[in-house]
Each structure stands twice: as C-alpha cells, then as structure tokens.
Amino acid sequence: MTANKILFLVIDGVSDRPCPELRGLTPLAAAKKPVLDKLAAEGVCGIMDTISPGIRPGSDTAHLSLLGYDPHTYYTGRGPLECEGSGIHMEPGMIGFRCNFATLSPQGLITDRRAGRIHDTQALSEAIRKEVDLSGFRVEFDFRSGAGHRAALALKGKGLGHCVTSNDPKKEGVPPLKVKELRQTQADQKTADICNEFVKQSSEILFRHPVNVERVNKGLNPANIVLMRGAGEMGDLPPFEKKYGLKGSVISAASLITGIGTAVGLEHIPVEGITGSQNSNIKGKIRAALAELRSKDFVLVNIKGADESGHDGLPLQKKAFIEKIDEEFEPLLALKGTIIVICADHSTPCCIKDHSADPVPVIIRGEGVRTDDVVRFDEYSCAKGGLCRIHGCDLMPIALDLINRAHKFGA
Ligand code: ZN
Ligand code: ZN
C-alpha cells in the first residue's frame, strides 16, 4: 500500500547544541520521548539544512523552504506574511507591516513599547479602520489586531514602495521616529508619507478611544500609538494546490506561520487554547490535524514552545516541553495512509538564545518508506540515518514521491 496524504509536523527550534546543564547532551537527546523515538525507528531519518549549510534561518524563510518555495525568490519581508496571518488577504503588490500598540505620553514620548501588554485590541483596530482616512493618497488600507499588543497594517494602491524605515525608536523615553524612505524614489516617499499620516490620525483616534480612557483611569498604560516595522511588498506565491495538486491546511498559533500557510492557499484551522508557548493545547492541535487529514491531502502543524525555551536559554524547560509534547503525539503512531514528516525549522540553541544554522533532525515515516537503523529522534542519531543530509526544499519532492505524486523527469 502507498500513502496518499502528507503531514508536516514542525517542532519549531527544537534542535540545539550540547548543553552543560544536560551533561553535554542536547535537550532532544536528553529527553524521554518514546513516541518520537518509535516514529524514528519506523521511518527513515536524516539531518537537514532548512535553507543551506551555514545559513541561519528565520522561521518564515525556513517554512517557505520546507513548503518548497525558495525563500531567495519568494521572501519579501515579514510584514506581508504577518498581515496574512492576522486575516488580511494580501494581493501581490500590497505593502504589509508588522505593528505594535504602544504608549505615547502627553509629552510625546514612547513610555511603553507594548502598551502594558494589552490584549483584546479589536475595538481599537475597528475604530482605526473606520475613522482613519487615507483617501487623499488614493490608497486603501486594512488594519487588524494580532495576538496581544500586536497588529498588522496593509496598504493597497498604485505607486507604493516598500523600502521605508520604522517609526519604532526601539527604546522608551524618547519620541517615536518619523517613517522615512530608504531609497530616493517617489514610491518609497509616498509610502513613508502615508505611514506618517496613518500614525498621526490613528493616534488621535486612540487617544480619545473609550478603551484607552478606561485604561488611564485604571492606571494602565493606554494603547495610543501604532509602531510599525518589517515593511515588505507581497510577492506572487504560486498556490500550493496548483503547484502540487494537493489541498491543504495549516495549524499554528504563530501568525507568521499561519500567514505563510494562507499566503500559499492552505486553509487556516483555528484550535482553541493554542498559545505558541509552553502551555499550548498540543493535544487539540494533533486532534485537529488528524481531523483535517480526513478531507485534505496535506496538513502543516507548527509547535512553537521549544523555540521559546531556546530563545530564553532554558535547556531544562526545553527538555520538559519535548517530553510533554511527545505524550500528545501518541495518536500519530496509529496514523495510516499518511507520510508523516517530523522536523524543526531551524535550531534554537539555548547557549546562543537565537536561531543557528546547525542542521535539524528529520523523520519521514509512512507506508513504503525504506527504513534505517536509527531508533532515536535527536541530532546525533538522525545524522546516521538513511536520508543522510538534505535541504529543506528537498522535503516536498521526497514526500510527493512517496505518495506517487512526483512528476517523472525524462522518459
Ligand atoms: Zn522557527
Ligand atoms: Zn525563534
């Protein structure tokens, strides 16, 4: 029997370097994880450079590569993908920004870059959408709340450039910056002017908004200015279904990953209680993925907590998180007719608290896979596996071949 579906399970930033706190092991090598080890034993393993050796991937560029979209061609900045992830449909040519609600003092200084970590900003975003008027520039805009204090801004219209700076001073106690063009072009100048006008108008609306009046009365920092960064022009991403002939879904708490998924036409499946953190509802994610596989050909699941531990430099927490999610993966052992690919998008070593270019371990498990001798899912064991060392952009072709959907090259 041949499998006919594909599940990508990306454990964000799970791979690491030797940690002194774990007697020189990585969190993955130190963790008790019988389910992942069983999947490794039943599959073929290897290590993978998600972009290429020595390139430190972002989660965005790495995920594009894993889905078979070369980030050197298709990556145009984080802003447009964050816009997609917050529910704005981005058409090619639209300009997207990641935004933050922040606090501006009556004296005009940024006093809290996260506005007291405000959440539930929907009413504020709605007021901005209704009342900000950019028609003088002949552009349309959309502004949506993201998780917590985050948001996204998209601009649509003719003659817009994306090479502009941020208004975020990156520190507190100073005034916000003016958005400036990075190139001397009319298009970039126009976008910078629009951004400055947007910030001015939106701040006026936010200053007097009842939500903020109430926050001030309660002694909380109001969310009365929008800081924007990560400008990028939405590229032209060929739809996943057209490229591979597969209908797919994306399950992720991170709006950046959701945005990559929806940008290529995967359906975003919301799951209750997912947080992108240690306390996320992993059981719910796995259940949702299995449910999606009944009607879809492809599902991408991203699990974020291990990356967070890596950024925080906490190897013991990372190990504990791996052990916790391993239990939730148990239902995967019984999954039939599906090629399961398990990997990270990059390493996030606790010792450097950021992403590194160290290759990540991979398992490919399912009907027809030629297995190897590897019986553990970790950086060292997988390096001895039958897949050897592959690139991120090899994953989709390998998976497609295993479900008999690869095109023959030649006669
Ligand atoms: Zn990542
Ligand atoms: Zn990260």
Side-chain angles (χ1 to χ4, degrees):
M1 186 191 155
T2 310
N4 58 6
K5 309 208 168 198
I6 302 169
L7 170 64
F8 270 22
L9 183 57
V10 180
I11 313 176
D12 208 300
V14 73
S15 41
D16 211 295
R17 289 183 182 172
C19 300
E21 298 89 334
L22 298 169
R23 289 184 294 153
L25 292 176
T26 63
L28 205 46
K32 265 205 192 67
K33 39 169 184 36
V35 177
L36 282 165
D37 289 345
K38 185 144 200 284
L39 290 163
E42 292 175 356
V44 64
C45 297
I47 53 173
M48 176 169 72
D49 300 289
T50 48
I51 298 177
S52 41
I55 303 294
R56 285 174 56 209
S59 288
D60 43 13
T61 47
H63 276 76
L64 280 170
S65 187
L66 298 180
L67 293 173
Y69 295 82
D70 182 351
H72 296 104
T73 306
Y74 292 108
Y75 184 63
T76 56
R78 185 163 176 173
L81 299 171
E82 287 282 353
C83 285
E84 270 282 340
S86 46
I88 301 172
H89 174 58
M90 296 292 285
E91 294 163 19
M94 284 172 72
I95 310 292
F97 299 82
R98 320 162 56 190
C99 301
N100 264 12
F101 283 101
T103 304
L104 188 67
S105 72
Q107 294 75 31
L109 306 178
I110 300 288
T111 51
D112 183 347
R113 289 179 57 247
R114 298 186 177 87
R117 290 202 175 265
I118 188 173
H119 46 85
D120 294 335
T121 58
Q122 265 72 13
L124 299 176
S125 294
E126 199 188 328
I128 288 175
R129 283 199 299 278
K130 277 202 180 130
E131 295 175 45
V132 169
D133 180 7
L134 301 177
S135 59
F137 294 96
R138 297 177 181 225
V139 291
E140 292 170 40
F141 78 96
D142 200 345
F143 184 83
R144 301 272 160 185
S145 294
H149 58 283
R150 297 179 192 87
L153 169 70
L155 303 175
K156 181 181 171 181
K158 286 212 170 72
L160 293 172
H162 67 279
C163 291
V164 295
T165 62
S166 165
N167 66 335
D168 184 350
K170 295 274 169 71
K171 53 184 177 190
E172 289 161 1
V174 294
L177 305 173
K178 279 262 171 281
V179 176
K180 290 201 183 106
E181 65 279 8
L182 284 165
R183 303 174 299 190
Q184 294 305 318
T185 66
Q186 263 187 352
D188 292 338
Q189 171 85 58
K190 180 174 175 179
T191 301
D193 289 347
I194 292 170
C195 289
N196 291 321
E197 180 64 19
F198 174 84
V199 173
K200 180 169 162 271
Q201 285 190 33
S202 57
S203 267
E204 286 165 12
I205 294 158
L206 293 170
F207 253 95
R208 56 182 151 79
H209 194 282
V211 166
N212 279 328
V213 173
E214 197 186 322
R215 283 181 74 83
V216 172
N217 289 340
K218 282 186 183 159
L220 298 170
N221 285 339
N224 53 17
I225 184 167
V226 174
L227 298 179
M228 52 176 78
R229 63 192 191 282
E233 179 179 332
M234 186 64 185
D236 203 353
L237 292 158
F240 190 85
E241 193 174 345
K242 216 166 173 187
K243 194 168 156 79
Y244 300 122
L246 305 175
K247 267 196 191 343
S249 303
V250 55
I251 299 171
S252 169
S255 55
L256 184 61
I257 308 303
T258 308
I260 289 170
T262 60
V264 300
L266 301 180
E267 185 184 353
H268 171 223
I269 306 299
V271 176
E272 198 132 330
I274 64 174
T275 60
S277 192
Q278 306 296 308
N279 59 355
S280 193
N281 175 12
I282 306 300
K283 192 187 282 263
K285 275 189 174 173
I286 298 297
R287 196 182 296 142
L290 297 179
E292 280 304 292
L293 283 168
R294 280 185 221 124
S295 59
K296 301 277 180 48
D297 312 300
F298 175 87
V299 177
L300 167 67
V301 180
N302 172 283
I303 292 174
K304 196 83 185 158
D307 179 58
E308 186 184 67
S309 305
H311 283 288
D312 292 342
L314 300 171
L316 294 168
Q317 186 193 67
K318 195 169 181 180
K319 172 176 169 278
F321 182 72
I322 294 164
E323 291 176 346
K324 182 188 122 172
I325 61 175
D326 187 76
E327 284 175 28
E328 313 291 6
F329 291 164
E330 169 105 49
L332 298 179
L333 291 170
L335 185 60
K336 300 257 188 308
T338 303
I339 296 299
I340 305 177
V341 175
I342 301 175
C343 62
D345 54 342
H346 48 75
S347 300
T348 310
C350 295
C351 59
I352 58 172
K353 299 185 177 180
D354 204 343
H355 305 176
S356 74
D358 297 280
V360 305
V362 197
I363 305 172
I364 301 180
R365 179 265 201 192
E367 289 85 347
V369 169
R370 298 197 311 226
T371 56
D372 53 24
D373 294 334
V374 178
V375 293
R376 292 172 58 86
F377 179 60
D378 61 54
E379 301 84 342
Y380 308 99
S381 307
C382 287
K384 298 178 195 137
L387 273 179
C388 304
R389 185 165 181 161
I390 60 172
H391 283 94
C393 61
D394 296 330
L395 266 192
M396 274 308 295
I398 293 172
L400 287 168
D401 182 44
L402 286 165
I403 63 166
N404 275 342
R405 294 283 201 113
H407 292 293
K408 192 166 167 187
F409 179 39

